[in-house]
Each structure stands twice: as C-alpha cells, then as structure tokens.
Amino acid sequence: MELEFFAHSEILAPFFFLIGLQLRNEISHFKEILLPTFAALGGMLFPALIFITINSDPTISAGWPLVMPTDIALVILVLLAIGQRASLALKTFLLALAVADDLLSIIVIGVKYTSALKFTEVLASIGAVLLGALVDKIPLEKIFVKIVNFAVLPIYVFANIYPTLTTDLELQSQLGNSVIVARVVGKIMGITLFALIAVKLLKSELKINKFELVGGAALAGMGLAVSIMIANLSYASENLLNQ
C-alpha cells in the first residue's frame, strides 16, 4: 500500500471520534470547562492574528487556521513525561483546553473550508466528533485511546512529513518561521490573558498558579495532526506545504 494513502485526512477519523469522546466526558463537568474554553479561544485568536500580521503575502496568510489547534496527544504525552511534577489541576486544565481548542478548530474548518472539504473528509472530521460526543462509553476505550495516539496519529504524521524530510526540507522559511512565532508567542499571550480575564468575567477560580498557567500555555503551542490537515486544505503549492 502506498504511503500517500495514509496522508489523507480521512485516516484521522478515529482521532476525531476520540475528540468527541473526550468532549462528552468534559461536558459532564460543564462549569469546570468554561474557563479553559475561554482560555482556548484566546489561544486561537492571538496566534491567528499574529500569523496574518507578519505575513503580507495573502497566499501564505490564507492558512491562518493552521496555527490554532493544540495537539491533544502531544500535550498528554508531555504531561505523562513530566509525571508528578505537573499538578493534577494543570493536567485537567490543559486537557479541557485542548479538547475545546480542537473542537473550535473543527468548527473553523467546517466554516472556512466548506468548498474545499470532500464529503468523506466531513464525515471523518465533523461527523466523527459528533458521533463520539453522542455515543455512550465504548468497550475497551483505554485500548482505543492508545491505538489512536500511538498508531493512527504517528502514521498520518509520518506519511505527510516523510516526503519533505527526504527531499525538500527547509530549516528556514517565511511560512515555517511565522508558524513558530505565531504559536509560541500567540498561545502564551492569548491563553494567559484570556484565562485571567475569564477569572474576572465568569467569577471562576483558577486552580493553577500563574507560573503553571504560562507554562501550560507554552505546551498548548504544540500542533500536529489537525494543523497538517488544515495546511493541506489551505495550500495547493507543494513548496508551501513543505515549508
């Protein structure tokens, strides 16, 4: 089977279904996810605005949604690696933020790329999220999560980046650099600021300290699978995709 087969976004259907499952779990604690959701909104707006601002070329700036999503799997892996050095409150906050972030990103995909999305891609993304949010607990859910995180996502990412790594890798590029700046600066500023605003507006308690908030916001800058999917929808140029 050709590697290109695994580069299609339909391969991500189990991942989007998992987002739906996690969304279902988070909704059961509705009051607890309001603050992380508001913070996630800031963590999407700021990177997008920075990306658009530093890219005067409309061909590049058209891909602004790709700097929005936080990769749930990467955040979870880093938190597992940190272990007990990360508080339970921080882990809970980041998981809720990442779920809200990816859900909002999927809404952006559905609105901005309506004409570009194939029917199968709609089913594999928006349809899979809705299905995951509606179903009750699935059997062997923990095993399913591991299959998604350690098989589906790595295969999809590898299939997309391997051709670039072996032929057209660029360590410096306008698009690549602007993605880094938008994510690093935008996520930290947006999440931190909106979380502090949410504490006042929603009269919610921030259960993590400000150092954990900034550190967590930096971790939220990691993007992967959903960002690659958005890049594929945004750019027809192989040169831009390689960047």
Side-chain angles (χ1 to χ4, degrees):
M1 188 176 292
E2 294 288 336
L3 184 62
E4 185 181 351
F5 172 82
F6 296 102
H8 295 153
S9 57
E10 288 88 345
I11 297 297
L12 290 176
F15 171 68
F16 286 115
F17 180 75
L18 178 58
I19 291 176
L21 290 177
Q22 292 172 327
L23 177 65
R24 177 205 64 200
N25 294 334
E26 295 298 329
I27 286 177
S28 62
H29 309 287
F30 184 71
K31 288 185 178 179
E32 294 179 12
I33 68 168
L34 281 177
L35 193 151
T37 300
F38 198 80
L41 186 61
M44 295 173 69
L45 289 174
F46 273 65
L49 290 172
I50 291 173
F51 186 82
I52 292 170
T53 301
I54 62 180
N55 285 300
S56 56
D57 184 347
T59 305
I60 296 178
S61 61
W64 57 266
L66 72 87
V67 296
M68 287 183 164
T70 293
D71 193 274
I72 298 175
L74 283 180
V75 170
I76 291 174
L77 286 174
V78 171
L79 290 176
L80 286 173
I82 294 173
Q84 294 183 349
R85 287 172 290 178
S87 67
L88 178 60
L90 176 59
K91 292 176 181 177
T92 303
F93 176 83
L94 274 179
L95 179 59
L97 182 144
V99 171
D101 188 308
D102 273 356
L103 177 65
L104 292 170
S105 296
I106 291 166
I107 293 173
V108 171
I109 291 173
V111 173
K112 188 177 189 299
Y113 300 104
T114 304
S115 58
L117 281 169
K118 295 181 292 187
F119 180 69
T120 51
E121 290 176 322
V122 175
L123 286 180
S125 55
I126 299 171
V129 171
L130 292 175
L131 182 61
L134 292 174
V135 299
D136 202 354
K137 285 193 174 183
I138 62 171
L140 304 175
E141 186 169 325
K142 289 184 179 180
I143 295 176
F144 174 72
V145 171
K146 289 181 179 179
I147 291 173
V148 171
N149 288 338
F150 297 106
V152 175
L153 290 178
I155 289 171
Y156 173 77
V157 171
F158 179 77
N160 274 278
I161 69 171
Y162 179 74
T164 301
L165 293 175
T166 53
T167 56
D168 301 304
L169 177 64
E170 293 183 55
L171 294 179
Q172 291 289 333
S173 67
Q174 171 65 26
L175 177 54
N177 291 341
S178 58
V179 168
I180 294 170
V181 172
R183 281 189 167 275
V184 173
V185 178
K187 285 289 185 181
I188 292 175
M189 288 179 59
I191 291 173
T192 302
L193 180 61
F194 270 54
L196 296 176
I197 291 173
V199 170
K200 301 292 185 181
L201 288 181
L202 305 175
K203 300 190 186 315
S204 299
E205 178 187 358
L206 186 62
K207 297 180 181 179
I208 55 177
N209 61 47
K210 291 180 181 178
F211 292 105
E212 288 179 310
L213 176 60
V214 174
L219 288 181
M222 296 186 296
L224 199 61
V226 179
S227 293
I228 290 175
M229 176 184 175
I230 294 174
N232 286 327
L233 291 169
S234 300
Y235 304 124
S237 164
E238 283 296 324
N239 182 48
L240 289 178
L241 287 172
N242 289 337
Q243 290 180 30

